[in-house]
Amino acid sequence: MQNCPMCRKWNAEPELRIVELTHTRVMLNADQFFPGYTFVFAREHVTELFYLERTVRQEMMEEVTAVAASLYNLFRPAKMNYELLGNMVPHIHWHLIPRFAADPLWPRPVWAEPHEELRLSPAAYAERIGQISSHISATESAQR
């Protein structure tokens, strides 16, 4: 869908791409205030999980789970947060956010109060994306 920000995101921000899976695309959030904050979103424009065929929905959830496990194994957070809202951007997408007891908003939700965005250098983005991508590949291989 042309007006959907998630439909455009993959092409609009190629420097933040991590991996394209069967049903989802995975991208690093430009704001790394929460290290490892990643988006997982449906490759096709769809607004609700119940619109998907059962097998597609199950496979999509396996992809989300693999990405979350990869982030957990890489960053070792106290907790993984999963957000699937879609009120502002009606396209199935998860915010996967490693949370640490030392983060300034712990244990409150990441949206509890505004924070100044943390932007990385292009080299730091590339390094983080490479690390996450490697962990996703290893996790997917182990699940097969």
Side-chain angles (χ1 to χ4, degrees):
M1 174 180 261
Q2 292 178 352
N3 295 330
C4 174
M6 292 312 285
C7 287
R8 294 191 312 265
K9 191 169 189 60
W10 189 255
N11 291 327
E13 300 173 350
E15 70 282 3
L16 297 175
R17 292 178 187 170
I18 297 173
V19 67
E20 192 166 25
L21 302 171
T22 303
H23 302 290
T24 61
R25 291 178 170 147
V26 182
M27 294 182 74
L28 193 65
N29 185 7
D31 178 5
Q32 286 293 290
F33 182 84
F34 300 99
Y37 186 154
T38 299
F39 296 110
V40 179
F41 56 98
R43 288 176 59 164
E44 303 298 323
H45 183 78
V46 61
T47 59
E48 303 294 343
L49 286 170
F50 55 79
Y51 290 152
L52 298 170
E53 292 179 25
R54 178 183 300 255
T55 55
V56 172
R57 183 173 55 246
Q58 290 170 339
E59 290 169 5
M60 185 179 286
M61 291 308 302
E62 288 298 324
E63 291 177 11
V64 172
T65 302
V67 174
S70 300
L71 292 170
Y72 183 85
N73 291 331
L74 176 61
F75 292 97
R76 297 292 180 192
K79 178 71 176 88
M80 282 298 303
N81 284 186
Y82 303 74
E83 292 284 344
L84 172 65
L85 301 170
N87 299 335
M88 294 179 66
V89 180
H91 181 124
I92 292 176
H93 68 285
W94 287 263
H95 299 251
L96 299 184
I97 310 163
R99 295 297 305 275
F100 302 88
D103 87 42
L105 297 180
W106 179 263
R108 295 171 294 147
V110 297
W111 293 285
E113 63 185 69
H115 65 267
E116 194 164 326
E117 287 191 9
L118 176 61
R119 298 290 178 143
L120 306 178
S121 69
Y125 280 123
E127 180 180 354
R128 186 160 291 173
I129 287 166
Q131 292 171 331
I132 295 169
S133 177
S134 294
H135 274 77
I136 292 171
S137 295
T139 300
E140 283 202 309
S141 294
Q143 290 180 345
R144 289 187 193 137

